[in-house]
Amino acid sequence: MVTVTLTVNGETRTAIVGGETTLLRMLRDNLNLTGSKLGCDVGDCGACTVIVDGKPVNSCLMLAAQAEGRDVETIEGLASMDRVHPIQKAFEECASLQCGFCGPGVIMSAKALLDEIPNPTIPQIRDALGGNLCRCTGYVKMIEAILLASRNMRGEAVQSIR
Amino acid sequence: MRAFELFSAKDSRDAVALLAKHSITSKVKVIAGGTDLLADLKFSAHSPNVVVDISRAQELKSILVTDDGLRIGSLVTHSQIMRSPVIQEMFPALVDAAHTIGAVQTRNLGTLGGNLVTAVPSMDSGPTLMALEAIVSIEGTEGRREVPLTDFFLGPRKTVLKADEILAEIIIPKQNLGKPTHFLKFGLRKGQALALVNSAASFWVDWDKHTFVAPRIGLGAVAPKVIRATQAEAFLEGRKITPEVMAEAGLIAATDAKPISDFRASAGYRKNLVAVLTKRALEGAYALAQAKR
Amino acid sequence: MKKRGQGMACMWYPIGFTVAANPSSAVVKLDEDGTATLLTGTVETGQGSLTILAQIVAQELGISTDDVNVVSADTDATPMDTGAIASRTTYVTGNAARLAAEKVKMMLFDVAAPLLGVKPNQLEAMDHKIVVKGFPQRNMHIGDVANHARTVTGEPPIGSASFNPATVALDPETGQGKPFGTYVYATQIAEVEVDDETGDVEILRIVASHDCGTPINPMLVEGQVEGGISMGVGFALQEEILFNDKGVQMNPNLTNYIMPTSLDMPEIEVDIVDNYDPSGPFGAKGVGEPTLVPTAACILNAIYDAVGVRIHSLPATAEKVFNAIQAKRDAEPKQITA
Amino acid sequence: MDKKPKVAEKDSSVESVLKDPGILRESVASPLVTYPIEVVVPKARQQTPAVGQRATRLDGRLHGLGQTSYIDDMTFPGMLYAKIKRAGVASARIKSIDTSEAEAMPGVMAVLTGKDVPNNAFGPSLKDQPVLALERVFHAGDPVVAVAAVSEQIASEACEKIKIDYELFTPVLDPLESLKLETPGVHAPSANIYQKKFIKKGDIEKGFAMSDHIVESQYRTQMVEHVPLEPHATIAMWDANGRVTIYSTLGRITLGRADIASTLGIPISRIRLVATIVGGNFGGKNEITTEPVLALLSKKTGRPVKSVFTRPDEFIASTTRHPLIMDYKTGVTKDGRIQARKIRLVLDGGAYCSWSETTLSKACILSAGPYNIENIYAEAYVVYTNKTMTGAMRGFGAPQVCFAYESHMDEIATLLKMDPLELRLMNVFHEGSISPTGQKLQSVVVKESLLRAAEKFGWKGKGSGTSGGKLLPKDIIDATTVRV
């Protein structure tokens, strides 16, 4: 067993886990943060995407112990008490999620993208979502929402991209 | 995933010490980025008892230009390769190769060293490094040793690494710095694809004679390990650069390739891909050479 | 060389089960603030069916989508439903929900009529009010009517209804009969680019014109079409479960079972064809399954247009397309000399 | 759409009260979730009339916040984890099952085999599928033994310790082989063809006789998986009142409950079946899978039991799309009128019937396409093979036959040197057309969809890829009006 202390959504958390425990399992089972999903457990589907030290990663392919001392952002940390994140808002408004299971991972990928590139092109968005499989949407309304969020976050007075 | 005991190495010295200690009594695996190892272990009944985490070894994370050439630490991630201004400038092919690996999430985790050590024939880092005649620096309890990448791979998932050794650095020798190189991959889809075939071509141009100088071609997924297309290289050496010659070299490279048929593709189709990709990689490298002239 | 081509495919698709009964029941209750709760046994599996059902109930009662809560998918609490299958929810469950809401509305009309000094059939429900037709200023808030029903009339405004599409069994010999209540229609057109040296097919864009009757929510209809097309793209070019000669699957994982990523998807333009089916709720039919029906066919027709080879078996992998192009090249000189 | 944010978009400076790691380290982990109190409702949700609005989804906001609770997100005190040992061989007789080593493992609470299942057969139309295979294995994904343990890891290791001795048979894998009478029955003594369907309209031979050209082709489609992003998941809790509550990723709970009741041999009143929001269905979650097993494990242990399919389970142990082999023969006049169409469909039904009956019917009824054809003969057969069972999947056979009839239409257009659009417009259904089953069709807009799509696309007539071609006449486009 190893003791893992890390920062999750700005707060320090500790758990004692088996050496083989992935960051995803620790988040879900030990910290009750079930927003990150287990869809394949081998890094193909991206439903487990979280941001570690500013970079999106598959939390199913990272051992919890490897996240020791690092800064982890999960879907639960995006909204604050008085507002949802502009990406979450855009995803709601564009009906970008259908069954929703891939959503937390997709939104974390989108957040990492917009943190790095505030004004992405459609090919850049497609590339950023390349590791997030979705079976419901064809990705179309996700791309729309990311463009909308990008404009809103940059303060452009765009009401809708339609 | 089966339970195992995890040891975190502080640095590379610590890593080889831990390996030396535990490999005597236990089945040991090394984890760096984890993208290959954990995916392999998840549904496997065979599991190591001990895993040594080397991901914190800072000294294996740098990209440096030295008197020996370009030294890339084994723990440099694929994303870091894509973002490195030095690599972008000298070897856009390495950037392209890194970009075709997995997806953003796996590129942020996966390391160059991990990609090589896994020794899967379809690896995307191998062909370009092979074409650039890379050398790997291996660290063991006795210290460092250097091995040409061509000799590093023994077969599918087999390398010359001993139980107490780790891959420390990948060195592109000085004489090849800035050598025009182009990498192409063909997968079954555009995102997150395994290579059916990948090919990298690299050569200097004698602009007076307009001929190929020191042409090197690396091929992936067409043999038990990443290989050089030596017959195609010999054919090109000193030859005039023309579209016909590049197409011919592609066809010769296809005879260098010894692919197998599996459920992803037939051997015959893979040979065709070798010819097409190699031709196009040569064209791409030539375009780069012209741009750099 | 890369070659472009265009291809089309149209289709028809039925709503609901083939002859077999597939009823849905629904319960609608109205609270004193004028908001409603729908109880339905169907399950939200991503299609947005609960939102659509809320819109149908809201429409019938003259309230907004946000005024309808939906309780679903609990056998202890919700009425019988055949479920999220056969593109039937909007049409079958939607009809049941509309009929249940209509019953509530009729109860409200009965309650409001004497209060407004008119006959029930002179009333309509709109904009959160029970209104005298032609005299919009004569109205009561729907919540006040509901409250009156409970406290004064003594009958809670709760309605329930069932719906089962009318069908006629098929003759076993000739197959003649009326297997379905209604059908939807659609056309998709694809533009592709084929690399004739590798057989690689890139789908550049797909235009999809779909009939769903009245689109209850155009945004969700678009989402269904876009998602269906992605499934159709996988069916056309990528996806296949492979077995070895012992009957064991060789690629049971998302590494080797190739389905479309965001990088594999074309630009999609969704067009909703104007239509109204009198048998559906507010003219609606359905849209879930038919969205992927014509996709593979239009892509394969576009491949033919681009490189002149017809692939008769799915998926049209790059290798299959390349082999067909090679075979065509091998055959062509012979035809010339013959 | 009016999307002006009504709440300031600037990051608020709400301080967390739990900044000191010292406090946190000693507490039991509680969810670090911020529940935003954003009350802004997008306008389209608030408008009347409601129909036709681009209203946001009821579940849209919670999806985006990661707050939708799927079954794997739920835990109950004392909950156990179940794993299923699957056959791994496609056709065999089970000679013996030895679970002793697994049962002896610390942490293993219960082991279940087919002997423990009261009515070990289910299926939406034919009850040919065992809950746990007992005597015979019909495909490699067949469940044989179930284990409930205190952790998923232990349950998996226990499965590896179960020894099953098989007598192996040669599997039947090719549906055309399966069709032949001399091929051994997959479910002997029953025949391999387990459903048939025929449609006869007009006089097929007369139709061919009236035709100038006959076009024949065979088309084939592959086996496909639904790939819902959420794998099948179930939690069962048998309570002291003798009722079992089952949470399941099932798209149809009413009939699902009846199926579960029948396998357990209890009245439906003793089952409460709840489906939460399901993370993708596409037809793959339309029949029960492990629910009876979980219920029995819960009954045996007195504890809640959860199981979640791994991604490989999802492929090998859930239903898939029917592969079809489709023979088409069409008679057409030289100006493009279709006179007759003859079709034979063979569906690979896999190891069990599942939703094959519906798939067969729909495929057969739809197989001639949305065209006015006077003379039709269609026959369709579904056969057993020792492959993963094929069942309901988005379109029930329609995507397969559409691939065939629309490829076929283009082949006819090529033969006649006609624009594929023109050929279709000449033959498609119109309002009041009579379908192949004799149904008078209403609200038919296939022609409008063709013209709309062609206009939006900029359809260039036949052979744009090689020969360019003519544009659509403007007057045809204008003839259709579109309100949406």
Side-chain angles (χ1 to χ4, degrees):
Chain A
M1 302 297 270
V2 286
T3 304
V4 177
T5 301
L6 39 68
T7 305
V8 182
N9 300 329
E11 296 174 14
T12 308
R13 305 302 309 227
T14 297
I16 298 168
V17 298
E20 75 285 1
T21 305
T22 60
L23 176 59
L24 176 66
R25 294 276 184 185
M26 176 174 160
L27 290 171
R28 289 179 58 84
D29 299 347
N30 300 82
L31 304 183
N32 292 331
L33 292 170
T34 56
S36 310
K37 304 300 178 198
L38 191 152
C40 72
D41 216 13
V42 292
D44 291 323
C45 79
C48 66
T49 303
V50 301
I51 297 177
V52 176
D53 291 343
K55 300 274 189 299
V57 301
N58 301 106
S59 60
C60 74
L61 290 183
M62 187 174 199
L63 294 176
Q66 292 183 297
E68 165 76 29
R70 300 176 76 173
D71 185 34
V72 179
E73 291 171 71
T74 72
I75 189 70
E76 289 91 345
L78 252 60
S80 60
M81 277 297 283
D82 62 350
R83 58 145 218 177
V84 297
H85 190 281
I87 300 173
Q88 293 170 321
K89 196 179 175 72
F91 269 63
E92 178 188 354
E93 286 171 358
C94 298
S96 304
L97 301 176
Q98 292 184 21
C99 85
F101 200 80
C102 70
V106 170
I107 290 178
M108 293 314 282
S109 288
K111 180 181 187 281
L113 171 71
L114 294 184
D115 284 351
E116 191 189 345
I117 308 172
N119 189 10
T121 62
I122 290 175
Q124 283 171 325
I125 296 172
R126 287 191 188 276
D127 195 43
L129 298 187
N132 294 89
L133 295 180
C134 170
R135 195 59 154 169
C136 296
T137 68
Y139 312 96
V140 178
K141 289 194 172 353
M142 293 176 177
I143 295 170
E144 273 180 30
I146 293 169
L147 286 171
L148 177 63
S150 146
R151 291 177 198 191
N152 284 335
M153 286 164 79
R154 284 179 288 117
E156 276 181 28
V158 175
Q159 314 239 315
S160 166
I161 57 156
R162 277 205 163 267
Chain B
M1 192 159 48
R2 287 289 185 89
F4 54 71
E5 208 176 345
L6 184 73
F7 294 94
S8 289
K10 290 189 287 289
D11 52 30
S12 55
R13 296 303 313 154
D14 191 25
V16 294
L18 282 167
L19 287 175
K21 182 179 160 197
H22 292 289
S23 59
I24 300 165
T25 51
S26 303
K27 198 179 160 198
V28 185
K29 286 276 184 188
V30 174
I31 187 167
T35 52
D36 285 326
L37 181 74
L38 294 184
D40 282 351
L41 296 184
K42 282 287 167 65
F43 299 118
S44 169
H46 311 285
S47 200
N49 323 87
V50 169
V51 170
V52 174
D53 175 19
I54 63 168
S55 65
R56 287 170 198 280
Q58 283 305 323
E59 68 281 15
L60 305 182
K61 294 185 180 178
S62 54
I63 299 170
L64 291 173
V65 181
T66 68
D67 288 348
D68 311 327
L70 177 68
R71 302 184 78 103
I72 307 173
S74 59
L75 293 182
V76 169
T77 64
H78 306 302
S79 295
Q80 285 164 342
I81 288 175
M82 287 168 64
R83 288 156 200 264
S84 159
V86 174
I87 295 177
Q88 284 171 358
E89 168 63 29
M90 283 186 186
F91 300 114
L94 280 178
V95 174
D96 293 345
H99 196 170
T100 66
I101 296 173
V104 181
Q105 294 94 318
T106 34
R107 294 196 287 268
N108 283 333
L109 287 170
T111 64
L112 180 62
N115 199 234
L116 297 177
V117 169
T118 307
V120 174
S122 63
M123 70 170 72
D124 294 312
S125 309
T128 311
L129 292 173
M130 209 66 132
L132 291 169
E133 297 163 292
I135 294 157
V136 293
S137 172
I138 294 167
E139 183 160 345
T141 37
E142 309 286 303
R144 293 269 185 117
R145 65 179 174 122
E146 288 188 358
V147 175
L149 189 59
T150 37
D151 300 338
F152 180 69
F153 303 117
L154 297 176
R157 294 176 178 270
K158 284 201 185 77
T159 69
V160 299
L161 282 182
K162 295 181 193 126
D164 61 348
E165 285 182 327
I166 59 167
L167 178 60
E169 279 183 306
I170 296 91
I171 304 154
I172 297 172
K174 197 173 184 181
Q175 74 271 16
N176 285 344
L177 293 189
K179 188 170 179 181
T181 308
H182 196 70
F183 170 83
L184 287 171
K185 162 174 170 174
F186 193 89
L188 289 171
R189 67 178 163 197
K190 291 182 180 60
Q192 295 192 50
L194 293 175
L196 283 189
V197 167
N198 48 27
S199 174
S202 179
F203 55 86
W204 298 107
V205 178
D206 180 334
W207 289 107
D208 296 333
K209 296 183 194 155
H210 207 254
T211 55
F212 290 96
V213 177
R216 299 288 179 266
I217 294 165
L219 299 175
V222 294
K225 51 185 184 173
V226 178
I227 57 164
R228 286 254 303 270
T230 48
Q231 295 175 65
E233 291 174 1
F235 167 79
L236 287 171
E237 185 68 64
R239 214 170 273 263
K240 278 257 189 260
I241 302 173
T242 67
E244 293 73 26
V245 164
M246 291 192 271
E248 180 69 26
L251 293 172
I252 296 169
T255 65
D256 281 309
K258 302 283 179 277
I260 53 161
S261 291
D262 63 10
F263 64 81
R264 296 188 189 99
S266 70
Y269 181 61
R270 281 192 162 101
K271 277 183 173 266
N272 172 65
L273 288 177
V274 170
V276 176
L277 294 195
T278 302
K279 175 187 74 172
R280 291 179 183 178
L282 286 165
E283 289 165 356
Y286 180 59
L288 194 60
Q290 283 180 310
K292 281 188 170 187
R293 192 182 173 181
Chain C
M1 210 175 95
K2 292 194 173 178
K3 295 188 169 168
R4 286 197 179 189
Q6 60 173 17
M8 67 165 49
C10 61
M11 67 107 220
W12 63 315
Y13 193 77
I15 301 299
F17 279 12
T18 320
V19 181
N22 62 124
S24 283
S25 302
V27 177
V28 172
K29 62 194 185 84
L30 194 72
D31 284 337
E32 68 273 23
D33 63 349
T35 65
T37 299
L38 165 70
L39 306 185
T40 170
T42 197
V43 180
E44 175 64 62
T45 65
Q47 334 87 305
S49 52
L50 301 188
T51 309
I52 298 296
L53 294 173
Q55 284 182 268
I56 288 170
V57 169
Q59 177 80 7
E60 187 64 29
L61 294 171
I63 56 180
S64 76
T65 313
D66 205 48
D67 294 327
V68 182
N69 295 315
V70 182
V71 174
S72 71
D74 180 339
T75 53
D76 274 10
T78 59
M80 184 280 155
D81 197 290
T82 304
I85 186 168
S87 300
R88 58 180 293 289
T89 308
T90 299
Y91 185 78
V92 186
T93 312
N95 263 324
R98 195 198 66 75
L99 290 167
E102 189 183 35
K103 281 192 180 167
V104 172
K105 190 173 77 174
M106 291 307 160
M107 293 167 82
L108 297 176
F109 286 177
D110 285 344
V111 171
L115 299 173
L116 289 165
V118 294
K119 284 178 253 158
N121 64 10
Q122 290 174 276
L123 296 171
E124 61 185 332
M126 59 182 288
D127 228 1
H128 312 275
K129 293 191 244 339
I130 303 298
V131 180
V132 179
K133 284 181 204 165
F135 300 91
Q137 70 282 10
R138 284 181 70 87
N139 66 67
M140 283 182 76
H141 189 269
I142 189 170
D144 295 339
V145 181
N147 197 35
H148 197 83
R150 298 192 313 185
T151 54
V152 181
T153 322
E155 198 176 356
I158 300 175
S160 65
S162 271
F163 184 81
N164 186 35
T167 57
V168 177
L170 303 182
D171 181 287
E173 290 291 312
T174 65
Q176 296 299 297
K178 185 192 174 198
F180 305 102
T182 191
Y183 300 77
V184 297
Y185 305 89
T187 299
Q188 292 181 6
I189 306 183
E191 182 172 20
V192 302
E193 193 168 75
V194 184
D195 183 335
D196 69 356
E197 287 182 298
T198 62
D200 186 40
V201 177
E202 182 174 7
I203 306 162
L204 302 173
R205 63 190 178 111
I206 290 180
V207 171
S209 284
H210 278 256
D211 157 41
C212 58
T214 300
I216 302 290
N217 185 330
M219 180 162 68
L220 300 194
V221 171
E222 289 159 14
Q224 284 296 299
V225 177
E226 291 154 359
I229 287 174
S230 77
M231 210 171 243
V233 165
F235 186 52
L237 301 181
Q238 300 172 329
E239 297 178 30
E240 182 169 20
I241 294 175
L242 298 161
F243 290 86
N244 66 14
D245 57 4
K246 294 188 172 69
V248 176
Q249 287 189 21
M250 293 192 286
N251 56 339
N253 52 61
L254 295 173
T255 315
N256 292 312
Y257 181 86
I258 311 294
M259 64 172 262
T261 70
S262 56
L263 292 156
D264 299 288
M265 286 301 294
E267 294 296 316
I268 296 171
E269 188 180 349
V270 180
D271 173 50
I272 303 172
V273 180
D274 182 40
N275 202 1
Y276 184 94
D277 190 294
S279 67
F282 305 108
K285 295 194 278 190
V287 75
E289 298 170 277
T291 55
L292 92 121
V293 170
T295 310
C298 77
I299 292 167
L300 275 279
N301 284 340
I303 292 171
Y304 179 83
D305 189 43
V307 287
V309 300
R310 178 141 313 269
I311 307 299
H312 285 98
S313 71
L314 296 181
T317 58
E319 177 166 5
K320 224 181 253 179
V321 174
F322 173 76
N323 287 343
I325 293 170
Q326 279 294 93
K328 183 167 174 269
R329 278 183 193 142
D330 293 347
E332 266 164 5
K334 285 177 210 155
Q335 284 173 354
I336 292 165
T337 51
Chain D
M1 279 194 302
D2 179 13
K3 293 281 151 53
K4 190 166 274 178
K6 295 182 185 162
V7 167
E9 290 288 358
K10 268 192 176 170
D11 213 334
S12 78
S13 56
V14 176
E15 282 285 313
S16 168
V17 291
L18 298 172
K19 279 292 182 199
D20 178 6
I23 301 171
L24 283 165
R25 232 173 256 182
E26 63 197 44
S27 69
V28 174
S30 59
L32 276 183
V33 184
T34 306
Y35 295 95
I37 318 293
E38 172 148 337
V39 291
V40 178
V41 177
K43 205 172 165 186
R45 283 189 69 73
Q46 299 188 64
Q47 277 166 343
T48 59
V51 161
Q53 298 287 348
R54 301 175 71 85
T56 54
R57 297 169 57 103
L58 301 175
D59 48 13
R61 186 173 299 172
L62 296 188
H63 279 353
L65 290 166
Q67 288 177 4
T68 300
S69 198
Y70 302 88
I71 286 170
D72 195 23
D73 301 334
M74 299 162 62
T75 49
F76 294 91
M79 194 169 77
L80 303 174
Y81 299 85
K83 283 279 175 192
I84 311 277
K85 170 89 173 174
R86 301 194 180 279
V89 295
S91 180
R93 188 176 70 81
I94 297 173
K95 284 156 65 180
S96 66
I97 301 173
D98 179 2
T99 61
S100 53
E101 216 179 314
E103 282 178 273
M105 274 180 69
V108 171
M109 306 304 281
V111 174
L112 206 72
T113 68
K115 280 183 191 154
D116 303 309
V117 184
N119 294 314
N120 196 7
F122 69 96
S125 51
L126 295 181
K127 291 192 190 304
D128 57 356
Q129 190 167 351
V131 174
L132 291 172
L134 191 56
E135 283 153 12
R136 279 291 316 267
V137 163
F138 297 109
H139 76 106
D142 261 338
V144 185
V145 185
V147 177
V150 294
S151 78
E152 214 180 320
Q153 225 171 9
I154 293 171
S156 296
E157 285 180 41
C159 281
E160 284 155 21
K161 294 195 169 150
I162 293 166
K163 294 186 195 84
I164 306 170
D165 199 8
Y166 294 108
E167 178 190 348
L168 295 181
F169 303 132
T170 307
V172 178
L173 301 176
D174 179 358
L176 293 182
E177 278 299 310
S178 175
L179 200 61
K180 292 177 187 161
L181 288 174
E182 65 270 24
T183 303
V186 171
H187 291 268
S190 308
N192 283 334
I193 301 173
Y194 61 95
Q195 299 270 348
K196 299 174 191 174
K197 200 89 202 168
F198 302 98
I199 291 175
K200 291 172 195 162
K201 185 186 173 190
D203 183 337
I204 188 78
E205 292 312 325
K206 198 175 137 204
F208 284 129
M210 291 189 312
S211 306
D212 299 315
H213 301 279
I214 306 287
V215 182
E216 280 185 273
S217 270
Q218 188 182 76
Y219 309 91
R220 288 175 182 242
T221 61
Q222 76 279 37
M223 186 182 277
V224 164
E225 159 62 18
H226 308 76
V227 197
L229 261 286
E230 180 200 26
H232 283 67
T234 305
I235 298 173
M237 298 180 285
W238 204 292
D239 69 22
N241 292 324
R243 278 194 105 212
V244 60
T245 298
I246 300 173
Y247 293 88
S248 181
T249 50
L250 198 58
R252 44 190 280 285
I253 54 165
T254 307
L255 301 172
R257 178 175 63 161
D259 292 345
I260 296 167
S262 128
T263 59
L264 298 178
I266 60 174
I268 59 168
S269 63
R270 282 176 57 196
I271 298 172
R272 178 185 173 204
L273 181 57
V274 184
T276 57
I277 299 280
V278 173
N281 175 358
F282 316 112
K285 290 171 178 164
N286 280 331
E287 72 175 275
I288 60 167
T289 51
T290 49
E291 290 85 350
V293 171
L294 277 269
L296 292 169
L297 285 171
S298 177
K299 190 182 183 190
K300 209 165 177 178
T301 59
R303 291 167 69 165
V305 184
K306 180 197 269 190
S307 95
V308 180
F309 273 18
T310 62
R311 187 54 61 180
D313 284 342
E314 203 62 39
F315 279 91
I316 64 175
S318 82
T319 56
T320 59
R321 188 186 287 289
H322 290 76
L324 260 68
I325 298 161
M326 303 171 277
D327 289 298
Y328 274 67
K329 179 178 173 185
T330 296
V332 62
T333 62
K334 57 180 182 295
D335 61 348
R337 305 264 164 204
I338 298 172
Q339 298 299 320
R341 182 163 280 175
K342 190 176 178 186
I343 299 154
R344 186 182 85 152
L345 309 175
V346 178
L347 282 70
D348 185 342
Y352 303 112
C353 177
S354 182
W355 288 93
S356 288
E357 193 179 354
T358 307
T359 309
L360 183 80
S361 295
K362 279 200 185 177
C364 191
I365 291 166
L366 300 172
S367 62
Y371 300 107
N372 293 307
I373 305 172
E374 291 297 321
N375 307 296
I376 294 174
Y377 175 76
E379 57 182 21
Y381 306 93
V382 58
V383 296
Y384 282 124
T385 58
N386 291 110
K387 291 194 281 193
T388 316
M389 61 276 181
T390 46
M393 184 169 177
R394 202 177 195 173
F396 282 108
Q400 295 96 314
V401 295
C402 183
F403 162 61
Y405 65 69
E406 286 302 85
S407 293
H408 201 55
M409 288 302 280
D410 267 33
E411 286 180 297
I412 294 166
T414 304
L415 176 80
L416 299 177
K417 299 188 168 57
M418 272 180 85
D419 177 359
L421 175 62
E422 203 183 317
L423 178 70
R424 285 176 174 83
L425 289 173
M426 191 182 287
N427 290 286
V428 282
F429 287 150
H430 46 72
E431 188 69 24
S433 280
I434 305 299
S435 79
T437 69
Q439 180 174 359
K440 189 177 178 190
L441 300 171
Q442 64 181 24
S443 72
V444 180
V445 291
V446 58
K447 195 171 202 170
E448 287 80 353
S449 82
L450 277 162
L451 292 168
R452 291 286 308 169
E455 187 209 353
K456 297 244 167 200
F457 182 86
W459 181 258
K460 292 200 186 68
K462 63 175 170 176
S464 76
T466 45
S467 65
K470 61 191 172 186
L471 279 163
L472 200 64
K474 189 81 179 89
D475 53 342
I476 299 183
I477 299 163
D478 292 344
T480 65
T481 54
V482 165
R483 247 200 331 255
V484 176

